[in-house]
Amino acid sequence: KMVDPTLAEMGKNLNEAMKMLEDNQRKVEEENEKKYARKDIPGPLQGSGQDMVSILQLVQNLMHGEEEEETSQSYRLQNVGEQGHMALLGHSLAAYISVLDRERLRKLTTRILSDTTLWLCRLFRYENGSAYYHEDDREGLLKICRLVIHTRYEDYSLEGFNVLYTKQPVIYISSAARTGLGQALCNQLGLPLSCMCRVPCNTMFGSQHQMDVALLDRLIKDDVEFGKLPLLLVANAGTPGAGHTDKLGRLKELCEQYKMWLHVEGVNLATLALGYVSSSVLAATKCDSMTLTLGSWLGLPAVPAVTLYRHEDPSLSLAAGLTSSQPVEKLRALPLWLSLQYLGHDGIVERIKHASQLSQRLLENLKNLDFIKTSVEDELSSPVVVFKFFQEYSNRDQSHAAQASTIQHPIISKEGHIYDTFNQWLGEQLAQLVPASGVDVVELEDEGTCVRFSPLMTSAVLGTEIQDIDQLVDCLKMKIPVLTSTLQLREEFEQEVRRTLSLLYIEDLGWPGLGVVRYNYDSDEKNDDKQEKELEKINTELLKKLNELESDLTFSLGPEFGGQKNCVYIGMVTEDLDVSELVETIVATGREIEENSRLLENMTEVVRKGIQEAQLQLQKANEERLLEEGLLRQIPVVGSVLNWFSPFQASPKGRTFNLTAGSLESTESMYVSKAQGTGSTPPPTPTSSLAKQRLPGQKAFKRSLRSSDGFSETSSISHCEDLDKLDQRPPDLSCGQEQGPLEMERAEEQKEVAQAKTDTEDIQSDKSPSDCTKVEDQASQR
């Protein structure tokens, strides 16, 4: 049928209009969706995702930080070599292998797990053992505790804590064990802290860090009498602090006597892979379980720790969590499986042997150093070296030290605190100067703060070499004289400050330096806040002035946390420090700052009072001028006519404000003195008494190396020679400056006297004595 053209055109326009409206509505909805996505979805997840380069760049920025942070903050990166790449490859392969079918995955994981366990048992001389691989190094001991509980309590799987309540288990841990290990075990096992027994170390015989076996025997007997069940003993083959090994042979006999489980951990277990092993560490192969941390020993990143154990019932091991039926969990051993094959037996032994050689190299050098005390268990094969700075009492102080040790116990604690502070500073300095050494600071129960070098835990990661040890010894040799001189001058500085009235000595045993001082002044004001602000202002300015001096000393505000306020902290010093000059400089500088501050305050008050007085005098002068001129002269028209017929002569009266006297004075005397041409000579500028004569290049607070007698004799001789040269030298009149009449007259007189002396000498050679006398009289008259 024919359609009306008008209707067809109208329908076409309607379709286009509806299409446009629908398109606009669709655009609005899309924009709303985009706004919703930008608002609620994080930026990296928006859009179609990021490319690989951008993601890796983001990871690199997060690893290394920004450029400004990289320059201001130093950090250590692990020495990841090819063996480290194999370990990292193991993690990637484990994720890839996990997608295989179940049967093939089971066969592969069983092979990897059995191979790795066999290799580790052979390497570390632990025959017929099983292995548990875990990320947290405490998790293996936790699972061993569960295994022992299941073994000793037959009904534990059915009744749970009820069997534990009837017979409380006891776990024995050395007091030298890792901090918080016992509490972590009790929290994970759900046991009260009373189930944990800390065994003290030897205090009379043997090492100070070995477990006291006799005392442990008495503790076990007491627990058995009270109806408790001795469950497990945690021993150390290398304590976390000093690296000492417990008497593992005697401990094993004691555990067999009471049917206890013996677990051993420590860094010295790494030496089991060497050809020669000390008998104390070799006894660890007879224990029931041990934990190995191969990642730090061999420099392998992100490899799991391994707990080797011996147990006959696999069902109890499965109940304790030591074995798993999940094949994916067995893939934890894959990084170790790859790394051990890559290193081989020779590579593993070489890394552990290299760490032991580093310890021996450091120990041999420390024996030749004075003021260094070492604390090692076996000097022939100790893999951990612990040392500290310690200065013996001199002969003149031995009686005082003996009296202090018997009577005044706080003095001993004070000395101990000072040595702890100095060793803390020493360890931080060595770690900063030689970061490749891996030294750190450790707190020991008897020795206090010490510096520890444990290459088995750090050398493979940091790549420590023999030259790093030599550099460490050289740095230690440079720091020992600074420590000894600071320790000797610390008492002298305290006495000097206490004798000075304006200074207050602040005793801060935690500050590694010469001491802490505060400039103090007596004030009659009762406002403590104002006085505190004044002290803060003076001591802050004093610190600024002291740092401006050319000296080798370091002045600071002290530590960021725990330091005293409004004090000046003085750092380490050398033996050539002049303590008296230092104290005098601090006092003089502080007094100068105080006087300037008070002068400014007084001047402000004087100026205010002077302004008020000047206003009163000006007002009084206006009143006097009004009385002198009369009332008629103040009327505008009449006053001008009267001044024209009878002018009024008034002398101007000026006023000047004297800042020194703080008063208003008349300017009449100033005008009179200027008119007469006489003026007062300004006083000479005073020189500071602190500017002592120093040798060229000598810094502040340094004593002269030459003796005082020799110096005075030399200076006097040179002074006489200079005087002779001045007498022989004629007066210099050829300078370019213009000389006054008085100077020219004095020069003429000196010329005449010199000429008279010359004439006298010439005449004496030819004339008689009477003639010489006449010539001298003439010269004197001139």
Side-chain angles (χ1 to χ4, degrees):
K1 297 181 180 179
M2 296 298 294
V3 181
D4 189 355
T6 305
L7 294 177
E9 185 69 20
M10 185 183 301
K12 182 179 178 181
N13 294 335
L14 180 61
N15 290 332
E16 292 179 355
M18 294 300 297
K19 186 177 180 181
M20 292 174 61
L21 292 176
E22 291 176 356
D23 291 341
N24 291 334
Q25 182 67 23
R26 190 179 298 108
K27 290 181 180 179
V28 171
E29 292 177 356
E30 291 178 356
E31 290 179 358
N32 291 334
E33 291 179 357
K34 290 181 179 179
K35 290 180 180 179
Y36 174 79
R38 291 194 188 98
K39 181 179 179 181
D40 297 318
I41 302 300
L45 300 184
Q46 293 180 6
S48 58
Q50 306 290 331
D51 56 346
M52 182 64 70
V53 177
S54 300
I55 296 174
L56 292 179
Q57 184 66 36
L58 176 61
V59 173
Q60 180 179 357
N61 294 336
L62 293 176
M63 288 173 58
H64 299 281
E66 301 295 335
E67 294 182 357
E68 57 270 12
E69 295 181 359
E70 187 174 349
T71 57
S72 61
Q73 199 174 24
S74 61
Y75 54 89
R76 297 178 180 177
L77 289 179
Q78 289 190 358
N79 185 22
V80 181
E82 294 184 1
Q83 77 282 353
H85 294 165
M86 294 299 295
L88 299 177
L89 177 62
H91 290 278
S92 301
L93 287 177
Y96 179 72
I97 293 174
S98 62
V99 300
L100 297 176
D101 60 276
R102 189 173 184 84
E103 184 62 25
R104 186 171 299 180
L105 177 62
R106 185 186 62 80
K107 293 181 179 179
L108 180 60
T109 54
T110 303
R111 170 68 182 275
I112 293 173
L113 189 63
S114 60
D115 287 350
T116 310
T117 302
L118 176 62
W119 297 342
L120 292 176
C121 289
R122 292 288 177 86
L123 283 172
F124 295 97
R125 309 178 187 224
Y126 197 81
E127 299 296 334
N128 300 325
S130 301
Y132 172 65
Y133 303 89
H134 46 92
E135 302 296 334
D136 189 357
D137 53 359
R138 298 177 298 183
E139 187 178 355
L141 178 57
L142 175 64
K143 297 299 177 64
I144 291 295
C145 291
R146 295 186 185 276
L147 174 63
V148 179
I149 290 176
H150 280 278
T151 305
R152 298 298 301 274
Y153 295 92
E154 297 179 358
D155 299 333
Y156 179 76
S157 301
L158 300 176
E159 299 185 8
F161 68 91
N162 289 327
V163 274
L164 302 180
Y165 179 75
T166 56
K167 202 169 187 178
Q168 182 178 351
V170 182
I171 301 175
Y172 301 91
I173 294 182
S174 172
S175 59
R178 288 182 290 174
T179 304
L181 178 61
Q183 185 176 3
L185 291 177
C186 289
N187 293 336
Q188 295 295 326
L189 295 173
L191 299 176
L193 292 178
S194 58
C195 294
M196 193 63 53
C197 179
R198 292 178 60 87
V199 183
C201 294
N202 289 341
T203 56
M204 298 297 295
F205 305 101
S207 171
Q208 299 294 326
H209 305 279
Q210 287 181 342
M211 193 183 303
D212 193 339
V213 182
L215 182 57
L216 174 63
D217 190 8
R218 291 197 299 268
L219 291 174
I220 295 176
K221 289 180 180 179
D222 294 340
D223 291 335
V224 172
E225 292 178 359
F226 281 102
K228 297 181 180 181
L229 178 63
L231 193 68
L232 180 139
L233 172 63
V234 182
N236 292 300
T239 55
H244 290 199
T245 302
D246 292 327
K247 299 178 178 64
L248 300 179
R250 295 182 59 189
L251 292 178
K252 178 59 179 176
E253 295 175 359
L254 195 62
C255 290
E256 291 177 352
Q257 178 182 351
Y258 293 99
K259 298 180 180 179
M260 294 173 56
W261 185 283
L262 178 60
H263 178 82
V264 181
E265 60 182 18
V267 67
N268 292 353
L269 292 175
T271 59
L272 291 173
L274 301 178
Y276 169 76
V277 187
S278 62
S279 58
S280 60
V281 180
L282 189 61
T285 57
K286 304 299 181 182
C287 65
D288 298 305
S289 61
M290 65 169 64
T291 298
L292 310 175
T293 55
L294 298 171
S296 57
W297 299 348
L298 305 177
L300 304 176
V303 296
V306 184
T307 296
L308 302 178
Y309 65 96
R310 295 189 185 97
H311 199 265
E312 299 177 354
D313 193 347
S315 61
L316 295 182
S317 300
L318 181 62
L322 289 170
T323 57
S324 175
S325 58
Q326 298 296 327
V328 179
E329 293 186 5
K330 297 179 181 180
L331 289 175
R332 291 179 181 176
L334 182 58
L336 268 178
W337 186 74
L338 295 174
S339 300
L340 293 177
Q341 291 183 83
Y342 181 82
L343 289 173
H345 178 264
D346 294 340
I348 296 172
V349 172
E350 180 62 29
R351 287 181 175 271
I352 298 175
K353 186 178 180 180
H354 175 67
S356 300
Q357 291 175 352
L358 293 176
S359 297
Q360 294 302 313
R361 181 65 172 263
L362 178 61
L363 187 58
E364 291 175 358
N365 290 311
L366 292 179
K367 290 180 181 179
N368 300 325
L369 295 180
D370 296 331
F371 310 113
I372 294 297
K373 179 182 177 182
T374 57
S375 175
V376 293
E377 180 186 13
D378 186 4
E379 295 185 357
L380 298 177
S381 60
S382 178
V384 181
V385 179
V386 177
F387 62 94
K388 63 179 296 186
F389 166 75
F390 184 78
Q391 187 175 4
E392 297 288 346
Y393 286 101
S394 60
N395 294 329
R396 60 183 178 87
D397 293 336
Q398 284 182 354
S399 60
H400 175 71
Q403 183 181 2
S405 62
T406 55
I407 300 176
Q408 299 177 352
H409 298 285
I411 294 183
I412 298 180
S413 62
K414 178 180 177 181
E415 294 288 341
H417 280 300
I418 293 176
Y419 279 114
D420 290 346
T421 302
F422 277 38
N423 283 284
Q424 177 78 24
W425 177 84
L426 177 62
E428 293 174 355
Q429 289 291 314
L430 294 178
Q432 183 179 1
L433 294 174
V434 192
S437 64
V439 295
D440 59 348
V441 181
V442 61
E443 296 286 342
L444 300 181
E445 185 176 358
D446 297 322
E447 286 83 358
T449 304
C450 300
V451 183
R452 179 181 58 186
F453 176 65
S454 182
L456 279 171
M457 300 298 293
T458 59
S459 63
V461 174
L462 300 176
T464 310
E465 299 295 338
I466 296 294
Q467 55 267 23
D468 297 325
I469 303 303
D470 297 338
Q471 183 182 0
L472 179 67
V473 175
D474 294 338
C475 294
L476 186 59
K477 291 180 180 178
M478 292 189 300
K479 296 301 178 182
I480 289 177
V482 178
L483 291 169
T484 54
S485 58
T486 304
L487 189 62
Q488 292 174 358
L489 295 175
R490 190 180 176 107
E491 184 177 357
E492 181 182 351
F493 176 75
E494 179 181 356
Q495 295 176 358
E496 286 285 342
V497 172
R498 293 190 184 278
R499 284 196 296 262
T500 308
L501 296 178
S502 301
L503 295 182
L504 179 63
Y505 183 80
I506 305 298
E507 187 174 17
D508 191 351
L509 302 179
W511 172 248
L514 184 64
V516 186
V517 66
R518 174 187 298 164
Y519 183 82
N520 203 357
Y521 66 93
D522 296 333
S523 177
D524 298 334
E525 298 180 1
K526 297 182 179 180
N527 191 352
D528 296 336
D529 295 337
K530 184 178 180 181
Q531 185 177 0
E532 190 72 18
K533 291 181 180 179
E534 288 294 328
L535 283 176
E536 181 180 0
K537 181 179 179 182
I538 293 176
N539 284 278
T540 302
E541 186 67 21
L542 175 61
L543 177 63
K544 181 180 178 182
K545 293 287 185 182
L546 292 175
N547 283 322
E548 291 176 356
L549 299 176
E550 294 183 0
S551 66
D552 294 332
L553 300 183
T554 56
F555 303 95
S556 63
L557 293 174
E560 183 178 0
F561 303 101
Q564 297 286 338
K565 294 182 179 179
N566 304 331
C567 296
V568 177
Y569 284 76
I570 306 174
M572 292 289 177
V573 298
T574 54
E575 60 180 356
D576 57 350
L577 174 69
D578 193 342
V579 177
S580 59
E581 181 185 353
L582 173 61
V583 175
E584 290 175 4
T585 304
I586 295 175
V587 173
T589 307
R591 187 176 293 115
E592 181 181 357
I593 296 172
E594 180 187 357
E595 290 176 356
N596 293 337
S597 178
R598 290 184 177 180
L599 178 61
L600 184 60
E601 293 180 358
N602 295 335
M603 187 178 297
T604 304
E605 185 66 21
V606 167
V607 170
R608 186 182 63 82
K609 292 182 179 180
I611 292 174
Q612 294 178 356
E613 185 179 353
Q615 291 178 350
L616 294 176
Q617 291 191 11
L618 288 175
Q619 183 179 0
K620 184 178 180 181
N622 291 332
E623 293 177 356
E624 292 178 354
R625 185 174 60 83
L626 182 61
L627 293 176
E628 292 178 0
E629 295 179 359
L631 182 60
L632 293 178
R633 294 183 184 273
Q634 309 303 320
I635 301 175
V637 179
V638 177
S640 59
V641 175
L642 185 60
N643 289 331
W644 184 72
F645 283 104
S646 176
F648 180 78
Q649 299 293 331
S651 61
K653 297 180 180 180
R655 295 289 186 271
T656 179
F657 184 72
N658 191 348
L659 289 176
T660 305
S663 60
L664 285 173
E665 298 176 357
S666 176
T667 58
E668 184 177 357
S669 61
M670 183 184 301
Y671 292 128
V672 172
S673 62
K674 285 186 177 181
Q676 294 178 356
T678 60
S680 59
T681 305
T685 304
T687 58
S688 175
S689 61
L690 300 176
K692 296 185 177 181
Q693 295 182 357
R694 299 189 181 94
L695 297 175
Q698 183 180 1
K699 295 186 178 181
F701 316 126
K702 295 290 184 181
R703 290 196 299 264
S704 179
L705 297 179
R706 62 177 67 177
S707 62
S708 59
D709 296 337
F711 179 77
S712 61
E713 183 180 357
T714 307
S715 61
S716 62
I717 293 175
S718 62
H719 182 65
C720 295
E721 292 176 355
D722 294 339
L723 289 178
D724 295 338
K725 291 180 181 178
L726 283 175
D727 293 338
Q728 296 175 5
R729 186 181 59 186
D732 188 9
L733 300 177
S734 61
C735 58
Q737 297 180 356
E738 183 178 355
Q739 299 182 358
L742 184 60
E743 287 78 2
M744 296 183 66
E745 183 179 355
R746 290 179 178 175
E748 292 294 336
E749 290 179 0
Q750 292 177 0
K751 276 187 175 183
E752 292 177 359
V753 172
Q755 185 64 31
K757 289 183 178 180
T758 306
D759 296 341
T760 303
E761 293 175 356
D762 295 340
I763 293 171
Q764 284 179 353
S765 61
D766 298 331
K767 295 188 177 182
S768 60
S770 60
D771 296 334
C772 295
T773 306
K774 293 179 181 180
V775 173
E776 291 178 356
D777 295 337
Q778 293 176 2
S780 62
Q781 289 177 3
R782 292 179 184 177

